[in-house]
Amino acid sequence: MSSLPPVGRLRWTDVPAPLRTRLETTLGSSVTDVVTPAGGFGHQLAAALTLADGRRFFIKAAPTEDPLTSANLHEGAVLGSLPSGAPAPDLVGVHHAADWTAVVIAHLDGPHPDLSPASSDPRQILALLDKVTSSPAPAAYTAAVASTPSGAAGLHGWDVLLANPPEDLEPDVRHRLHELAELEAAWPGLAHGDRIVHGDLRADNMVRDHERGVTFVDWAHATTGPACIDAVSLAPQLILAGHTLKDITRLLDNHPATATDPQASTAFLAALTGHWHRNARLPAPPGTSGLRAYQHHAATAGLALLGSRLS
Ligand SMILES: Nc1ncnc2c1ncn2[C@@H]1O[C@H](COP(=O)(O)OP(=O)(O)OP(=O)(O)O)[C@@H](O)[C@H]1O
Ligand SMILES: [Mg+2]
């Protein structure tokens, strides 16, 4: 029995037979069930496989020439190099056949964390971020990400909106465009660092595993950088999940990942918010659903946080 993936996702039956056979042979049992979790915006196969002997694995697969394959290979290299104890699943293997590539990852069992104030998950996530970023990344990890440019370092948007302000730009944003573009312009100069950066930390890229607790998945954008990147990215999401602006402002003031470098934290929040604000206005890329709405809400929360931080 297979569940239908969300619209646009490749399915297990789309994987060419030689690769499916290779995977079943290597894993030592045949696939009896495939479940594609909800969440995420990608179009590749990303699914939990159950084998005849009851074991489960998580697989990400796409045609080798698909740009997502290089992201999957990057993720595989990252998972293989993270220090033991990092909140990430183990890499099981990487397989190529019939011009497709599959990355097999240890399966995590549980829901996405609950980011609302009623849950203890945010506290656990923030403690994990402290642990991950409190010391420089190990050499194996740094080597694994060395050839991948940081996506976070290139984020911007206010500069583009300033150059050509859209007619319907909210008056309070229009009024602050110069200041926002200036804050954002400082980011590229501050975007470098030697810490582990997940680079895409959202609730749907975490699983609260029944045994391991909250674990970060989808390490396709991982790089090295300043400690603040993941904590700042998470902050607007916590607001969207119901935390007060006051609490999250205080969180950024006090969390070790952001408190140690307030200037970089503010510059990154400005760049990220600009990126969301600009992108929310673009047509949705094919195969994505909900991406633009998410960016719109995240931009609003991020801008409120930036305002509170600067006041
Ligand atoms: N190791 C795992 N075990 C169990 N479930 C997982 C695992 N890794 C990811 N998931 C689940 O599968 C979903 C999709 O995985 P992932 O985010 O890695 O794929 P993706 O295609 O890169 O996503 P995106 O569309 O966000 O780019 C996640 O949101 C999560 O719910
Ligand atoms: Mg994802």
Side-chain angles (χ1 to χ4, degrees):
M1 183 194 68
S2 295
S3 67
L4 275 180
V7 180
R9 280 263 187 215
L10 288 166
R11 287 176 286 189
W12 172 244
T13 47
D14 294 322
V15 178
L19 182 55
R20 279 187 276 151
T21 306
R22 169 83 59 85
L23 289 165
E24 291 182 321
T25 307
T26 314
L27 296 174
S29 191
S30 56
V31 172
T32 54
D33 192 32
V34 182
V35 174
T36 305
F41 304 111
H43 60 266
Q44 65 186 319
L45 171 73
L49 306 180
T50 303
L51 305 185
D53 62 10
R55 287 175 301 142
R56 281 191 283 178
F57 294 93
F58 194 77
I59 178 178
K60 296 176 81 164
T64 301
E65 88 272 2
D66 189 311
L68 286 181
T69 287
S70 49
N72 291 344
L73 290 172
H74 177 67
E75 178 170 11
V78 166
L79 293 180
S81 70
L82 280 165
S84 66
D90 289 336
L91 174 69
V92 176
V94 178
H95 302 274
H96 310 273
D99 296 326
W100 271 58
T101 296
V103 176
V104 183
I105 300 168
H107 181 260
L108 300 165
D109 198 9
H112 296 307
D114 173 3
L115 297 188
S116 76
S119 167
S120 61
D121 291 346
R123 213 173 316 124
Q124 196 189 337
I125 294 163
L126 292 162
L128 289 172
L129 278 180
D130 183 17
K131 183 177 158 199
V132 166
T133 59
S134 62
S135 53
Y141 175 90
T142 304
V145 302
S147 59
T148 305
S150 161
L155 293 183
H156 66 105
W158 298 120
D159 54 345
V160 176
L161 294 165
L162 178 64
N164 198 1
E167 291 280 312
D168 61 348
L169 199 63
E170 299 82 346
D172 56 325
V173 178
R174 183 182 294 270
H175 181 68
R176 295 173 60 196
L177 265 182
H178 273 283
E179 183 200 10
L180 292 166
E182 208 167 286
L183 285 169
E184 165 187 274
W187 171 236
L190 300 166
H192 309 286
D194 60 6
R195 304 303 149 110
I196 291 173
V197 176
H198 176 283
D200 198 14
L201 209 58
R202 309 184 303 246
D204 64 82
N205 283 337
M206 302 180 224
V207 174
R208 192 207 301 127
D209 180 71
H210 295 315
E211 283 177 9
R212 299 187 50 168
V214 176
T215 306
F216 303 164
V217 300
D218 200 357
W219 287 80
H221 304 281
T223 52
T224 46
C228 66
I229 290 181
D230 288 327
V232 169
S233 309
L234 195 66
Q237 301 174 54
L238 292 170
I239 292 173
L240 292 179
H243 293 261
T244 64
L245 194 53
K246 195 170 158 212
D247 282 351
I248 301 307
T249 305
R250 195 179 318 126
L251 166 74
L252 291 187
D253 285 345
N254 295 330
H255 192 280
T258 42
T260 45
D261 200 347
Q263 201 197 349
S265 302
T266 301
F268 178 54
L269 184 59
L272 181 64
T273 307
H275 164 82
W276 279 332
H277 208 99
R278 176 173 61 108
N279 279 34
R281 295 170 167 277
L282 301 176
T288 61
S289 72
L291 177 63
R292 296 302 181 220
Y294 166 76
Q295 287 170 335
H296 176 75
H297 294 308
T300 304
L303 203 52
L305 186 56
L306 198 54
S308 162
R309 223 172 134 68
L310 294 171
S311 65

